[in-house]
């Protein structure tokens, strides 16, 4: 799924703050003594939140095409 998100909009900033708060809460829960099923569920929630945050990251190119000259 390709979603266009403006990472500077007030709506996204509010959502991002909520996500960061939830991630902190989940991480602290994971530090306690939990059964396997609960741990798996919390890890899945954390992964889902990380994916949401990742939707606003722009991947930088590994190589600047304008500066690269193909020999020959």
């Amino acid at each position: 799924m390709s979603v266009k998100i403006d990472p500077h909009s007030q709506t996204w900033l509010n959502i991002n703050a909520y996500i960061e708060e939830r991630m902190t809460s989940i991480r602290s829960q994971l530090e306690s003594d939990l059964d396997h099923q609960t741990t798996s569920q919390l890890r899945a929630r954390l992964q889902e939140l990380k994916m949401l945050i990742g939707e606003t990251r722009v991947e930088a190119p590994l190589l600047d095409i304008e500066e690269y000259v193909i020999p020959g």
Side-chain angles (χ1 to χ4, degrees):
M1 175 169 90
S2 178
V3 178
K4 303 274 184 192
I5 296 175
D6 177 9
H8 305 292
S9 73
Q10 189 58 49
T11 302
W12 175 252
L13 294 175
N14 292 340
I15 291 169
N16 192 46
Y18 172 78
I19 290 173
E20 292 291 341
E21 185 179 309
R22 287 287 299 137
M23 288 172 63
T24 301
S25 172
I26 290 171
R27 286 183 180 121
S28 68
Q29 290 177 35
L30 284 170
E31 291 176 3
S32 62
D33 187 26
L34 301 171
D35 61 77
H36 178 72
Q37 182 177 357
T38 304
T39 300
S40 295
Q41 290 172 347
L42 288 173
R43 286 182 179 165
R45 289 179 190 166
L46 192 58
Q47 185 62 34
E48 191 67 28
L49 293 171
K50 287 180 181 180
M51 288 173 53
L52 280 173
I53 296 246
E55 289 295 325
T56 59
R57 293 204 176 101
V58 177
E59 292 185 26
L62 297 175
L63 188 57
D64 188 4
I65 306 246
E66 294 175 5
E67 294 180 12
Y68 186 72
V69 177
I70 299 175

